[in-house]
Amino acid sequence: MKLFAGFTHNWGVAIILFTLCIRLALFPFTRRSQAAMAELGKKQAAIKPQIDELTKRYKDNPKKLNEERFRIYRENKVPLAPPLMGCLPLFLNIPIFVGFFSALRTLYDLRQEPFFLWVKDLSRPDELIAFSGSFHLPLVGEVKGLNVLPLIMMSMWVITQIVMQRNMPRPSDPQQAQVQKFAMVLSTVFGLTLYNYASGLSLYAITSSTITVLEQTVIRKYFPPATARTPTSAPPGIAVAARA
């Protein structure tokens, strides 16, 4: 970050460039994650007719439905949860986020360093509008003004969750669907706890979330993972065997 700040003369731009470098380094793992999730989606799509039939047959017997559903998953070797490679980018981002969170509390270089417009100090909340008084909110703490960057950060986290869930295989288990909804709520709650934190952290999170959305939409659409590509044609021997 100091290197980037040296030739850009702006610590906010340095944070953005730093985030781009991190995501570029993690991109190979992201691609493997997309490939693993695409493979899981194919397997789940293949057994979906059987799962739908079981749901109709045992709609009044949830216990039997779960037993038969697990049997179908086990016989077709379909994992009940996303594979490890599908979650690896998330695990790799956690220590980076924690390290950046800690660095902002001790990095004196960010003090009184502006970014743009109303962001005058990257080591403090951006505070677009300062209130005449203050009030206390659960999870947030004391609110002294309107901090815009944390609100943008929370919105980007929710958008990221929505985009990622759309690209993930739809869970046939209602409990898994509830877990996905809970993840979205948890992102919002976690964002509230960072409302009064340094605006530099919000800038990092916004940049990282924006890159994630681009990876999940633009790059995934025009450059799909290898396992997600559908071959346009098959060798003659395979085609004959398939018709047979």
Side-chain angles (χ1 to χ4, degrees):
M1 284 177 57
K2 289 184 177 180
L3 176 65
F4 290 137
F7 65 82
T8 62
H9 304 289
N10 188 306
W11 276 91
V13 176
I15 291 174
I16 294 175
L17 294 176
F18 170 76
T19 309
L20 289 173
C21 288
I22 291 176
R23 297 308 301 265
L24 184 62
L26 295 179
F27 185 71
F29 299 100
T30 303
R31 293 296 286 175
R32 289 187 180 184
S33 170
Q34 292 178 355
M37 297 306 297
E39 185 65 25
L40 176 61
K42 285 184 177 182
K43 291 181 178 180
Q44 291 187 347
I47 64 172
K48 188 177 184 303
Q50 301 178 59
I51 299 297
D52 292 341
E53 179 63 28
L54 290 175
T55 303
K56 293 179 181 179
R57 185 183 305 175
Y58 300 108
K59 61 180 180 179
D60 297 326
N61 192 344
K63 182 178 179 180
K64 183 66 175 178
L65 175 61
N66 286 333
E67 292 176 355
E68 292 298 315
R69 182 188 291 123
F70 291 149
R71 179 182 61 81
I72 294 296
Y73 273 75
R74 184 173 60 253
E75 291 178 352
N76 292 273
K77 298 181 179 180
V78 180
L80 296 174
L84 177 61
M85 284 305 303
C87 303
L88 186 58
L90 175 62
F91 292 134
L92 292 176
N93 270 295
I94 291 176
I96 296 172
F97 184 87
V98 172
F100 198 77
F101 180 90
S102 301
L104 284 176
R105 292 185 296 180
T106 58
L107 192 62
Y108 288 94
D109 303 78
L110 292 180
R111 297 184 183 276
Q112 298 182 354
E113 286 291 335
F115 175 44
F116 72 100
L117 298 179
W118 73 93
V119 183
K120 304 300 183 182
D121 188 344
L122 288 167
S123 66
R124 297 179 54 82
D126 56 284
E127 199 172 86
L128 175 61
I129 300 176
F131 300 152
S132 56
S134 64
F135 56 92
H136 187 274
L137 287 179
L139 299 177
V140 176
E142 188 177 9
V143 178
K144 299 180 179 179
L146 175 61
N147 304 331
V148 177
L149 288 182
L151 301 179
I152 298 176
M153 176 184 66
M154 286 186 288
S155 301
M156 288 302 304
W157 278 352
V158 172
I159 293 173
T160 302
Q161 288 289 336
I162 294 174
V163 171
M164 293 183 66
Q165 289 180 16
R166 285 183 177 179
N167 290 327
M168 291 176 62
R170 291 191 176 183
S172 56
D173 188 354
Q175 293 182 352
Q176 294 182 13
Q178 290 296 326
V179 170
Q180 289 187 353
K181 293 179 180 179
F182 177 74
M184 190 178 303
V185 175
L186 186 62
S187 298
T188 305
V189 173
F190 183 61
L192 288 174
T193 63
L194 300 177
Y195 182 80
N196 286 322
Y197 205 71
S199 54
L201 181 68
S202 298
L203 183 60
Y204 164 78
I206 292 169
T207 305
S208 182
S209 298
T210 302
I211 296 173
T212 300
V213 172
L214 291 176
E215 287 176 346
Q216 295 290 328
T217 53
V218 179
I219 297 178
R220 190 186 183 98
K221 178 180 179 180
Y222 293 103
F223 303 97
T227 55
R229 297 189 185 117
T230 303
T232 55
S233 61
I238 297 179
V240 171
R243 288 195 295 270

